[in-house]
Every structure is written in C-alpha cells, then in structure tokens.
Amino acid sequence: MNETLQAFMEGNIPEIERELTNQLAKSDIPAILHESLTYSVEAGGKRIRPLLVLAVLQDLQADSADALRVAASVELIHTYSLIHDDLPCMDDDDFRRGKPTNHKKFGEDIATLAGDAMQALAFGALSELKETSAEAAIELVGLLAKASGAQGMVKGQVLDMKGEQQLLPLKELEEVHIHKTGALLSFCVDAGAVLAQATDEQRKYLSEYSRNIGLAFQIQDDILDVTATTEELGKPANSDTSSEKSTYPSLLGLDGARKQLKDRHEQAIDALRKINLEQSILHLLADFIIERKK
C-alpha cells in the first residue's frame, strides 16, 4: 500500500471506530439489540466510505468538527445494508468478514431490527451536527436519504434481485450498481464537499469521480468473487454465480471486466485532474479500490 495512504488510513480509522462506538452508546437500547449492533459494526471492514468523507476535506484543505459524525452516519447505513443483504430473504449468506452473519448469531428477527436501528441512528447522528450550518445539515440529510433509499441503494437492491437468473445487458447492469453500490459512495464524496464548502466546479467533478469509483468498486467485487478464495474474501466465493446474478465477468468475461475496471479508474482520475486533485488522497483511494484483494 502507498505510504501516504497508509498513514492517512492509520491516522483516521481509529477515530472513525471511536465515533461509531459513541453512536452505539445510547441509553435504553435493549442489551441483545446493542450486542447485535456492536457485533456487526465491530466486525471490521475497510471503512472506505467514511474515509472518502475525510479524504475530500483533506484534499480541499478544509476542516470540520462534524466530519467524523457524518462519516460514521454513512458507515452505519452501509453496515445496516450488509445485515439485511445477508438475510435469507435476500442473498442468504452465512458468513460476512470471516464471521457468522448477524442473523446466524442473533436470529432473523434481531438482525432485521438491528438494521432498522442502524438506519435510525445514522439519521440521528446527522441531527446532532455542531458546527455545520442548518442549511448544509439539511442538505446532508436529504443527500443521505436519497442515496440510501428508494432512489438509491434500495432501488439498486430491488433491481439486483429482479435481475437474478438472467443475463442483464451492460447498461442495465450498470444501472443496478450505480444505485446499489455507487449511491452511498457518491454520498460520501458529496458529503465531504458540503462540509468543505466546495465550489460548484469542484462538486461537479467530484461527483464524476465518485460515480466512476462506485462502478469500479463493484467491478472489482465481481472480479474477486470469481478469482479470490472464501478465506481471502471472508465470505463465500462464487456467491454471485450460485445466486445466478449478472456480473461483469459473466457478461464481459474476466478480460472484459478488467478493461471496464481500468476505464472507470481512468475516468475517475481524469475528473480529479480537472480540479487539480490528481495528486491527492482521493486518487490513492481510487487506486486502492481497484487493487484490493477482498
């Protein structure tokens, strides 16, 4: 890993973890629910989404006392989506990040409610911003609602389920993943731009960057699903194949998928270049997304 990126991650991930713990430390949460929430939040993960929020601020040489709270809010949404994705009525997975999935440990009822609770906690976090203007805070709430709901991630999940047992055309496959995976990643970049009070031009090209890394992230996931082992992934390999889902390798072959990955990465970096951020943490994170092995 690049030394600059490693230092950025090592400096920020502990702070992200601390803020996530703080968000779960609410009074009157039933003990079994708190245990379920903590189990999934502390299961690990790359924390790419909260890191993107912080990277935008660093690259734009801005600061915000609310950055960690916003970063934690999106990670809570992401974690809730994983709990629900793993349920028998969805992807029906038994392992996540090398551990039994939430419903395997706590039951489907508690797992479902843990996901519901995380979603509420995420929006609660955005209601507690200290420094951000009311106008910007309302914009963040609206952006997260759109990114995580029926116009964003949930839309992508519906399209994904409806696309099973058929080979989707490339345009339809991209439509699935622009929403299912890309929407939350785009929120992270947009949120960082809001907190940094970015210019309209910066926001335009940051959005172009995030759209492309969102697709690149999913393409690499699809590639790893057929090239990595279960031990490397921390979840069953070839799960998309067994679920009869359309993927970039199934549609384009591995070489075609890798070309798509390279093209999306190049378009993301080109967007950064247009706002003088080619040498940036965002660039290094784009590299990390396409080079990761799990």
Side-chain angles (χ1 to χ4, degrees):
M1 182 188 297
N2 176 278
E3 290 183 3
T4 300
L5 181 60
Q6 184 172 357
F8 173 78
M9 295 174 78
E10 290 178 352
N12 284 292
I13 287 177
E15 297 298 320
I16 292 166
E17 303 293 350
R18 193 159 20 253
E19 181 61 30
L20 286 166
T21 299
N22 290 341
Q23 290 303 319
L24 298 184
K26 308 291 184 183
S27 61
D28 299 328
I29 297 178
I32 187 63
L33 179 60
H34 187 271
E35 187 180 352
S36 174
L37 293 169
T38 303
Y39 178 80
S40 286
V41 166
E42 293 184 353
K46 298 171 284 294
R47 306 304 192 206
I48 289 293
R49 290 157 188 81
L51 286 169
L52 279 168
V53 178
L54 304 180
V56 174
L57 282 156
Q58 180 162 319
D59 287 342
L60 295 182
Q61 300 180 350
D63 192 23
S64 169
D66 293 322
L68 281 170
R69 188 158 290 173
V70 174
S73 72
V74 73
E75 190 68 4
L76 288 169
I77 292 284
H78 174 57
T79 306
Y80 121 69
S81 76
L82 299 181
I83 294 173
H84 281 195
D85 268 350
D86 291 336
L87 289 169
C89 63
M90 297 280 282
D91 289 345
D92 194 15
D93 283 325
D94 293 344
F95 290 93
R96 169 74 64 178
R97 295 169 177 165
K99 299 169 63 176
T101 47
N102 197 291
H103 70 274
K104 283 294 180 181
K105 185 169 179 66
F106 297 97
E108 292 177 41
D109 50 358
I110 294 297
T112 301
L113 293 169
D116 294 343
M118 279 190 197
Q119 184 182 51
L121 285 169
F123 284 99
L126 294 185
S127 76
E128 297 171 344
L129 303 184
K130 304 298 184 184
E131 182 183 88
T132 306
S133 69
E135 181 180 7
I138 290 169
E139 182 179 4
L140 288 171
V141 169
L143 287 170
L144 185 57
K146 184 176 181 180
S148 61
Q151 297 168 285
M153 180 183 72
V154 173
K155 176 180 179 178
Q157 289 169 317
V158 170
L159 294 175
D160 188 40
M161 289 191 299
K162 296 303 180 185
E164 290 180 2
Q165 300 181 334
Q166 56 181 301
L167 195 61
L168 296 176
L170 180 59
K171 185 176 181 180
E172 290 186 28
L173 184 59
E174 288 185 342
E175 182 75 1
V176 171
H177 296 307
I178 284 168
H179 293 92
K180 184 182 178 185
T181 303
L184 274 189
L185 288 165
S186 290
F187 167 79
C188 300
V189 176
D190 288 344
V194 170
L195 292 173
Q197 300 180 46
T199 66
D200 288 345
E201 182 182 31
Q202 287 172 329
R203 290 190 65 169
K204 173 186 174 183
Y205 288 112
L206 285 170
S207 291
E208 187 177 313
Y209 162 86
S210 64
R211 177 185 175 89
N212 281 291
I213 63 161
L215 285 168
F217 193 101
Q218 184 59 51
I219 296 167
Q220 181 66 352
D221 261 7
D222 285 359
I223 291 171
L224 290 172
D225 186 65
V226 296
T227 60
T229 65
T230 295
E231 290 71 26
E232 288 169 329
L233 294 175
K235 60 182 181 180
N238 294 302
S239 60
D240 290 335
T241 302
S242 61
S243 299
E244 297 184 74
K245 289 187 177 184
S246 290
T247 66
Y248 285 86
S250 67
L251 183 62
L252 305 172
L254 265 177
D255 288 344
R258 286 173 174 142
K259 182 180 185 305
Q260 281 284 316
L261 179 67
K262 181 174 181 290
D263 289 347
R264 289 297 176 182
H265 177 264
E266 288 177 352
Q267 289 177 55
I269 302 311
D270 187 57
L272 293 178
R273 189 177 295 114
K274 290 173 181 174
I275 48 174
N276 300 314
L277 290 180
E278 186 178 7
Q279 304 300 319
S280 62
I281 299 296
L282 289 171
H283 186 159
L284 296 175
L285 281 169
D287 294 347
F288 177 78
I289 283 169
I290 70 163
E291 293 167 0
R292 64 196 168 88
K293 301 303 180 185
K294 61 180 180 178

